Coordinates of all heavy atoms in Angstrom, one line a residue:
E7 N -4.7 8.8 15.9 CA -4.7 7.4 16.0 C -6.1 6.8 16.0 O -7.1 7.5 16.4 CB -3.9 6.8 17.2 CG -4.5 7.2 18.5 CD -3.6 6.6 19.7 OE1 -2.4 6.7 19.6 OE2 -4.2 6.2 20.7
D13 N -5.7 -3.4 19.0 CA -4.6 -2.4 19.2 C -5.0 -1.1 18.5 O -6.1 -0.8 18.3 CB -3.2 -2.9 18.7 CG -2.1 -2.6 19.6 OD1 -1.8 -1.4 19.8 OD2 -1.5 -3.6 20.1
R14 N -4.1 -0.3 18.0 CA -4.3 1.0 17.4 C -3.3 1.2 16.2 O -2.3 0.6 16.1 CB -4.0 2.2 18.5 CG -2.5 2.1 18.9 CD -2.2 3.3 19.8 NE -0.7 3.2 20.0 CZ 0.2 3.7 19.3 NH1 -0.1 4.3 18.2 NH2 1.5 3.6 19.6
C15 N -3.8 2.0 15.3 CA -3.0 2.4 14.1 C -2.6 4.0 14.3 O -3.6 4.7 14.5 CB -3.7 2.2 12.9 SG -3.9 0.5 12.4
A16 N -1.4 4.3 14.1 CA -1.0 5.7 14.2 C -1.2 6.3 12.8 O -1.0 5.5 11.8 CB 0.4 5.8 14.6
D66 N 0.0 3.9 9.4 CA 0.8 2.7 9.5 C 0.0 1.4 9.9 O -0.8 1.6 10.8 CB 2.0 2.9 10.5 CG 3.1 3.8 10.0 OD1 3.3 3.8 8.8 OD2 3.8 4.4 10.8
Y67 N 0.3 0.3 9.4 CA -0.4 -0.9 9.8 C 0.1 -1.3 11.3 O 1.2 -0.9 11.7 CB 0.0 -2.1 8.9 CG -0.4 -1.8 7.5 CD1 0.6 -1.6 6.4 CD2 -1.7 -1.9 7.1 CE1 0.2 -1.5 5.1 CE2 -2.1 -1.8 5.7 CZ -1.1 -1.6 4.8 OH -1.4 -1.4 3.5
R68 N -0.8 -2.0 11.9 CA -0.3 -2.5 13.2 C 0.9 -3.4 13.0 O 1.1 -4.0 11.8 CB -1.4 -3.5 13.7 CG -2.6 -2.8 14.4 CD -3.7 -3.7 14.8 NE -4.3 -4.3 13.6 CZ -5.2 -5.3 13.6 NH1 -5.5 -5.9 14.8 NH2 -5.7 -5.8 12.6
H69 N 1.9 -3.4 14.0 CA 3.1 -4.1 14.0 C 4.2 -3.3 13.2 O 5.3 -3.7 13.1 CB 3.0 -5.5 13.4 CG 1.9 -6.3 14.0 ND1 2.0 -6.9 15.2 CD2 0.6 -6.6 13.5 CE1 0.9 -7.6 15.5 NE2 0.1 -7.4 14.5
F70 N 3.8 -2.1 12.6 CA 4.8 -1.4 11.8 C 4.8 0.1 12.2 O 3.8 0.6 12.7 CB 4.5 -1.5 10.4 CG 4.8 -2.8 9.8 CD1 3.8 -3.8 9.8 CD2 6.0 -3.1 9.3 CE1 4.0 -5.1 9.3 CE2 6.3 -4.4 8.7 CZ 5.2 -5.4 8.7
G71 N 6.0 0.7 12.1 CA 6.1 2.2 12.3 C 5.7 2.6 13.7 O 6.0 2.0 14.7
A72 N 4.9 3.6 13.8 CA 4.4 4.2 15.0 C 3.2 3.5 15.6 O 2.7 3.9 16.7 CB 4.1 5.7 14.9
S73 N 2.7 2.5 14.9 CA 1.5 1.9 15.3 C 1.8 0.8 16.4 O 2.9 0.3 16.5 CB 0.7 1.2 14.2 OG 0.2 2.2 13.2
G74 N 0.8 0.4 17.1 CA 0.9 -0.7 18.1 C 1.0 -2.0 17.5 O 1.0 -2.2 16.2
G75 N 1.0 -3.1 18.3 CA 1.0 -4.4 17.8 C 2.3 -5.1 18.1 O 3.4 -4.6 17.7
E76 N 2.2 -6.2 18.8 CA 3.3 -7.1 19.0 C 3.0 -8.5 18.4 O 1.9 -8.9 18.4 CB 3.6 -7.3 20.5 CG 4.1 -5.9 21.1 CD 5.4 -5.6 20.7 OE1 6.2 -6.4 20.1 OE2 5.8 -4.3 20.8
P77 N 4.0 -9.3 17.9 CA 5.4 -8.8 17.7 C 5.6 -7.8 16.6 O 4.7 -7.7 15.7 CB 6.1 -10.1 17.4 CG 5.0 -10.9 16.7 CD 3.7 -10.6 17.4
R78 N 6.7 -7.1 16.6 CA 7.0 -6.1 15.6 C 7.3 -6.9 14.3 O 7.7 -8.0 14.3 CB 8.1 -5.2 16.0 CG 7.9 -4.5 17.3 CD 6.6 -3.7 17.4 NE 6.5 -2.6 16.4 CZ 5.5 -1.9 16.1 NH1 4.3 -2.2 16.7 NH2 5.5 -0.9 15.3
R85 N -4.9 -9.1 8.7 CA -4.7 -8.0 9.7 C -4.6 -6.7 9.0 O -5.2 -5.7 9.4 CB -3.6 -8.3 10.7 CG -3.8 -9.4 11.6 CD -2.6 -9.6 12.6 NE -2.5 -8.6 13.6 CZ -3.2 -8.6 14.7 NH1 -4.1 -9.6 15.0 NH2 -3.1 -7.7 15.6
D89 N -7.0 -3.4 9.1 CA -6.6 -2.0 9.4 C -7.2 -1.1 8.3 O -7.6 0.0 8.7 CB -5.1 -2.0 9.3 CG -4.5 -2.7 10.5 OD1 -5.1 -3.0 11.5 OD2 -3.2 -3.0 10.4

Side-chain angles (χ1 to χ4, degrees):
E7 61 180 41
D13 224 300
R14 61 175 184 84
C15 289
D66 282 332
Y67 301 109
R68 285 173 291 171
H69 309 281
F70 290 88
S73 292
E76 294 291 341
R78 304 307 294 169
R85 290 179 75 83
D89 292 343

